[in-house]
């Protein structure tokens, strides 16, 4: 590669990293936690309300009521099926110009973006929207594309030294070399994981947008009408205008399970079902569920909603390339294909990913450092402030949110009302603190704060609720992980403090004077 | 930098759509069967094309070659849409 090309690629890598790095740090940190979404949810709701056994029957009645009031909902109306973590909501979804949602206990429907988020759901939505309503998911799609370009350019720049530097980590006086080595080694060793995330992240966020673009530019408007059949099992259903009674949900779910198992799926755990052309003689009912021993766990079975005849089967072992690929996108992204060990691997690689973006920013600062002056250029100071305020600030803010959830749950408040505002107030406070204290001191403060809060929340939870063995070990595992994270953040805090005290004074990481 | 980025982001987008669209239309054994895999391929292809704009010696070369590639790809797509079976309507 010519030196000129390499320089341009380095510039591209720097800029895509700058644009996407902060969003990616938050996405990876929150994403790593979200690997254990259900466990965090179990932890966050220590005394879940008793679940009634007639949820499916109530959902059935609610759907019947909704199609009476909103005839347009007949085209597509469905419900989530009962799940096994406390804030999982059984709710009816229907399409009438827009998506509408009504939970079993809701008096009236709400819009798609008006989801009440508990702690686990909030951390998850932070992962893919940064907490920005409506546009956040598309923003993260664009960030994923920039991330892909940053990965490609990073690998190309590093390619000439890839093998010889693979296991090189050179501590010593040259800090830039150390950070460069750390950045490279993490980037290369977790490259397959990053490739998966750049592609599946972009896909999950932008698939519908891409479909519309292809529809217009390449397929003469014939793609969008097919879209449902590419991801679901049901063929297109046209209403006959002759009414017929519907197969009730519990019957449809049981039938679908039997059909999926007969088709060779390893288990079939239904989590969503929907009717197409509800109440019509031609109506179909489609049940989506998860199976084991496959990369893409989701599959679906479509039945006639009148007589239960099988209309389509797209489950593992019996599906086409479209459905297998679609399911694999989610399986690869969520790490649901391999049990607990893979989840822990995803958790650790997620944290390593966050470190990759953090170290990229440190590298930016270190390579632009003025070595002979205590005053550093504005861009270096701004970068240091943004890195500490946003990256470490969001770690601290998430820890604050965990504490707030614990306090709210213990004092009887509805935690879903507070988690989002608490996070953003805490993040703003952390950023303000960084501006005021300057990045060097603020980094140490925020790391100690995160460590202290992580430890405190685990101890407080155990003190308040005991070991909670009834949760199947989930709550205990969350508490132990919190303690582990506290140890990790504390060691980062100590290392950073050492740097501030005794490192080179001509740096943003030194305390002036 | 800006010139090259725009060439990659804009012309790379249309080129990636045209190329994957073309591959789908030409796919032996039926276009519908590979629609989702094609969308999966589209994203890394787009990323590669954005990067490719930075491999040209000047921004105007990037614009020129990528515009030419677009022209050829869309011409081929236009012919494919009119001669091959395409998606069922």
């Amino acid at each position: 590669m010519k030196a000129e090309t390499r320089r341009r690629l380095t510039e591209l890598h720097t800029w895509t990293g700058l644009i996407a790095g902060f969003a990616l740090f938050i996405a990876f940190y929150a994403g790593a936690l979200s690997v254990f979404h259900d466990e965090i949810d179990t932890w966050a709701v220590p005394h879940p309300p008793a679940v009634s056994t007639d949820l499916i029957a109530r959902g059935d009645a609610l759907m019947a009521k909704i199609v009476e009031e909103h005839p347009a909902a007949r085209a597509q109306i469905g419900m989530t099926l009962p799940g096994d973590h406390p804030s999982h909501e059984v709710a009816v979804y229907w399409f009438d110009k827009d998506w509408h949602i009504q939970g079993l206990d809701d008096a009236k429907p709400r819009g798609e973006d008006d989801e009440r988020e508990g702690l686990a759901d909030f951390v998850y939505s932070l992962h893919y929207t940064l907490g920005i309503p409506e546009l956040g998911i598309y923003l993260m799609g664009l960030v994923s594309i920039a991330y892909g370009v940053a990965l490609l350019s990073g690998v190309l720049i590093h390619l000439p030294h890839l093998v010889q530097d693979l296991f090189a980590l050179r501590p010593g006086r040259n800090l830039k070399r150390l950070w460069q080595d750390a950045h490279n080694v993490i980037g290369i060793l977790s490259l397959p994981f990053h490739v998966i995330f750049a592609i599946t992240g972009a896909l999950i966020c932008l698939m519908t947008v891409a479909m519309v673009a292809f529809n217009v530019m390449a397929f003469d408007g014939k793609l969008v009408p097919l879209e449902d059949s590419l991801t679901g099992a049901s063929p297109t259903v046209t209403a006959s205008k002759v009414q017929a009674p519907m197969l009730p949900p519990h019957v449809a779910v049981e039938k679908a399970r039997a059909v999926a198992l007969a088709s060779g799926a390893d288990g079939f755990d239904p989590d969503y079902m929907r009717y197409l052309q509800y109440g019509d003689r031609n109506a179909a009912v489609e049940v989506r569920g998860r199976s084991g021993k496959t990369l893409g766990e989701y599959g679906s079975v479509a039945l006639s909603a009148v007589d239960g005849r099988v209309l389509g089967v797209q489950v593992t072992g019996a599906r086409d390339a479209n459905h297998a690929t679609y399911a694999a996108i989610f399986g690869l992204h969520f790490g649901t294909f391999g049990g607990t060990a893979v989840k822990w691997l995803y958790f650790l690689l997620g944290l390593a990913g966050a470190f990759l973006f953090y170290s990229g920013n440190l590298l930016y600062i270190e390579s632009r450092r003025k070595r002979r002056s205590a005053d550093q250029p504005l861009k270096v100071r701004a970068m240091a402030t943004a890195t500490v305020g946003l990256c470490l600030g969001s770690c601290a803010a998430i820890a604050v949110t965990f504490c707030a959830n614990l306090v709210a749950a213990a004092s009887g408040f509805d935690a879903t009302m507070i988690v989002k505002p608490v996070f953003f107030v805490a993040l703003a406070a952390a950023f303000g603190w960084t501006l005021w204290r300057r990045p060097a001191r603020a980094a140490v403060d925020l790391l100690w704060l995160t460590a202290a809060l992580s430890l405190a929340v685990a101890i407080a939870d155990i003190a308040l609720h005991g070991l909670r063995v009834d949760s199947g070990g989930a709550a205990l595992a969350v508490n132990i992980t919190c303690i582990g994270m506290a140890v990790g953040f504390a060691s980062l805090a100590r290392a950073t403090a050492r740097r501030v005290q005794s490192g080179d004074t001509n740096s943003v990481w030194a305390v002036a004077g | 930098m800006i010139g090259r980025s725009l060439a990659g982001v804009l012309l790379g987008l249309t080129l990636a759509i045209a190329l994957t669209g073309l591959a789908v239309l030409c796919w032996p054994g039926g276009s519908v069967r590979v629609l989702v895999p094609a969308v999966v391929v589209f994203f890394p292809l787009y990323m590669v094309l954005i990067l490719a704009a930075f491999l040209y010696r000047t921004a105007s070369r990037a614009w020129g070659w990528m515009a030419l590639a677009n022209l050829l790809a869309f011409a081929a797509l236009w012919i494919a849409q009119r001669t091959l079976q395409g998606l069922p309507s």
Side-chain angles (χ1 to χ4, degrees):
Chain A
M1 198 188 318
K2 282 196 293 258
E4 167 67 14
T5 314
R6 190 152 185 245
R7 193 191 55 75
R8 266 204 311 273
L9 289 176
T10 308
E11 209 177 332
L12 174 66
H13 187 72
T14 306
W15 276 98
T16 43
L18 276 179
I19 292 166
F22 294 103
L24 287 171
F25 180 92
I26 297 174
F28 270 70
Y29 189 72
L33 299 182
S34 290
V35 170
F36 295 109
H37 169 279
D38 293 3
E39 286 80 0
I40 292 175
D41 192 49
T42 304
W43 178 89
V45 187
H47 303 294
V51 179
S52 55
T53 48
D54 60 344
L55 289 173
I56 296 186
R58 286 170 63 201
D60 188 18
L62 183 57
M63 284 194 278
K65 180 169 157 275
I66 287 167
V67 293
E68 282 302 314
E69 290 166 10
H70 308 274
R74 289 174 185 275
Q76 190 179 157
I77 184 164
M79 67 180 284
T80 47
L81 298 166
D84 57 2
H85 56 99
S87 43
H88 175 81
E89 188 191 25
V90 175
V92 173
Y93 287 66
W94 74 94
F95 192 79
D96 179 2
K97 297 188 197 79
D98 233 324
W99 281 102
H100 302 274
I101 306 168
Q102 186 166 356
L104 292 186
D105 301 319
D106 295 345
K108 58 181 180 25
R110 60 184 194 263
E112 197 184 4
D113 285 306
D114 186 21
E115 297 224 48
R116 280 161 295 177
E117 290 168 336
L119 179 67
D121 287 345
F122 171 68
V123 173
Y124 176 52
S125 78
L126 197 59
H127 162 67
Y128 72 92
T129 66
L130 301 178
I132 305 166
E134 294 194 41
L135 292 179
I137 184 165
Y138 302 114
L139 176 74
M140 288 314 286
L142 299 180
V143 163
S144 301
I145 290 174
Y147 165 37
V149 175
L151 275 184
L152 283 169
S153 52
V155 172
L156 280 182
I157 299 163
H158 190 45
L159 203 54
H161 310 278
L162 192 129
V163 177
Q164 74 193 75
D165 283 1
L166 186 56
F167 296 107
L169 188 62
R170 286 157 282 195
R173 292 186 57 78
N174 189 342
L175 268 179
K176 186 189 170 222
R177 165 111 276 159
L178 175 67
W179 282 118
Q180 180 85 67
D181 285 345
H183 187 76
N184 289 347
V185 88
I186 297 262
I188 294 297
L189 292 181
S190 48
L191 187 63
F193 177 80
H194 285 288
V195 170
I196 287 173
F197 279 98
I199 297 173
T200 58
L203 270 163
I204 292 169
C205 293
L206 296 175
M207 184 119 173
T208 47
V209 181
M211 286 286 196
V212 170
F214 273 99
N215 186 50
V216 176
M217 293 172 69
F219 298 121
D220 265 347
K222 291 177 190 163
L223 177 60
V224 165
L226 288 172
E227 211 176 324
D228 251 5
S229 71
L230 299 176
T231 53
S234 176
T236 313
V237 183
T238 35
S240 68
K241 310 278 182 212
V242 181
Q243 290 193 356
M246 292 291 93
L247 216 59
H250 69 275
V251 177
V253 163
E254 280 320 307
K255 177 83 201 278
R257 195 201 311 268
V259 170
L261 295 182
S263 310
D266 182 72
F268 188 73
D269 186 10
D271 72 345
Y272 183 69
M273 56 91 62
R274 62 172 181 164
Y275 293 96
L276 301 164
Q277 304 301 341
Y278 186 98
D280 191 274
R281 201 183 55 192
N282 289 350
V285 56
E286 189 179 73
V287 181
R288 186 183 75 184
R290 286 179 292 204
S291 306
K293 294 188 183 150
T294 170
L295 183 57
E297 54 171 3
Y298 274 112
S300 53
V301 172
L303 309 167
S304 156
V306 176
D307 55 20
R309 206 161 22 93
V310 177
L311 299 179
V313 182
Q314 295 288 351
V315 295
T316 166
R319 59 189 167 192
D320 58 30
N322 288 322
H323 291 81
T325 310
Y326 188 69
I329 293 167
F330 290 92
L332 280 169
H333 193 93
F334 293 98
T336 44
F337 53 87
T340 313
V342 168
K343 287 174 88 175
W344 278 108
L345 185 66
Y346 266 55
F347 176 77
L348 293 175
L349 285 167
L351 293 183
F355 175 78
L356 183 71
F357 309 124
Y358 190 73
S359 67
N361 286 6
L362 293 183
L363 200 51
Y364 177 97
I365 293 167
E366 203 52 46
S367 43
R368 283 158 189 77
R369 181 164 75 89
K370 292 266 178 286
R371 283 157 202 287
R372 296 182 198 290
S373 146
D375 284 332
Q376 294 295 320
L378 176 66
K379 64 178 175 186
V380 168
R381 281 183 284 136
M383 188 64 175
T385 306
T387 302
V388 171
L390 290 175
C391 297
L392 300 184
S394 62
C395 295
I398 286 177
V400 170
T401 312
F402 269 67
C403 293
N405 181 87
L406 182 93
V407 172
S411 50
F413 279 114
D414 182 5
T416 60
M417 306 297 285
I418 59 148
V419 283
K420 193 170 180 172
V422 164
F423 172 82
F424 282 108
V425 168
L427 181 60
F431 199 84
W433 186 259
T434 311
L435 284 173
W436 183 52
R437 291 267 286 171
R438 298 297 176 84
R441 284 205 194 90
V444 179
D445 300 342
L446 290 174
L447 286 166
W448 276 123
L449 177 70
T450 311
L453 290 176
S454 304
L455 185 65
V457 81
I459 291 172
D461 186 72
I462 293 171
L464 276 171
H465 308 297
L467 294 179
R468 291 164 70 184
V469 272
D470 55 315
S471 68
L476 183 62
V478 171
N479 283 328
I480 292 172
T481 310
C482 281
I483 295 171
M485 301 276 282
V487 173
F489 277 107
S491 52
L492 288 174
R494 281 190 51 191
T496 313
R498 231 178 5 247
R499 168 73 189 82
V500 171
Q501 296 296 319
S502 51
D504 190 337
T505 48
N506 293 336
S507 164
V508 281
W509 302 119
V511 177
Chain B
M1 191 67 192
I2 298 287
R4 258 186 254 274
S5 312
L6 282 178
V9 169
L10 300 177
L11 295 183
L13 177 66
T14 51
L15 184 58
I17 289 177
L19 290 176
T20 20
L22 191 63
V24 168
L25 289 176
C26 297
W27 197 261
S31 299
V32 179
R33 295 164 60 176
V34 289
L35 280 170
V36 176
V39 179
V40 174
V41 170
F42 157 75
F43 282 100
L45 179 62
Y46 181 32
M47 293 164 190
V48 168
L49 290 175
I50 294 177
L51 183 94
F54 286 79
L55 299 177
Y56 293 99
R57 223 179 313 149
T58 62
S60 42
R61 269 172 197 253
W63 276 95
W65 284 111
M66 291 186 81
L68 183 68
N70 264 283
L71 204 66
L72 292 175
F74 275 98
L77 187 66
W78 189 84
I79 294 167
Q81 280 172 340
R82 272 145 197 83
T83 53
L84 298 170
Q85 207 174 6
L87 299 182
S89 44

